[in-house]
Amino acid sequence: MSKDLVVLFEKKRQKMERAFRKTSLSQQGWTLSDIPQCLFANMYRGARTILEQRGLLSPREKHENGAAWAFWAEEPETNGRKK
């Protein structure tokens, strides 16, 4: 799934470039290389929200400090390798 996401992101690169050129961000000191990280973070947050709404991801829990996050578990590594 990670590779599919990479392919999609690469496929949309030219569209990102065109959209960037239509903004005034470059006049504010931003460069095109600044934008993909922001787009990726927003894409991730949007996808997570939709997956939570559809019941495919557990919703984040609000903790005492006000932060909302979900716990996840991975199998421990054995001899430097995951099981």
Side-chain angles (χ1 to χ4, degrees):
M1 287 172 36
S2 297
K3 290 178 183 177
D4 292 341
L5 182 58
V6 169
V7 169
L8 175 64
F9 205 76
E10 289 174 335
K11 185 178 176 181
K12 299 293 184 177
R13 176 72 181 186
Q14 288 182 346
K15 189 173 183 177
M16 285 187 270
E17 291 171 358
R18 286 192 304 271
F20 178 78
R21 286 193 297 270
K22 292 178 182 178
T23 70
S24 63
L25 291 172
S26 62
Q27 296 165 356
Q28 299 172 43
W30 295 94
T31 65
L32 179 60
S33 63
D34 296 322
I35 304 307
Q37 180 63 37
C38 176
L39 291 174
F40 181 81
N42 286 326
M43 180 181 63
Y44 167 83
R45 284 191 291 271
R48 183 192 63 224
T49 298
I50 293 168
L51 290 169
E52 287 174 357
Q53 291 169 347
R54 294 181 182 177
L56 296 169
L57 286 179
S58 298
R60 295 165 289 153
E61 295 180 28
K62 195 164 193 171
H63 297 272
E64 289 180 16
N65 66 359
W69 52 273
F71 174 79
W72 69 86
E74 294 182 15
E75 291 196 47
E77 292 188 19
T78 306
N79 295 330
R81 297 183 189 167
K82 289 187 179 184
K83 287 184 173 184

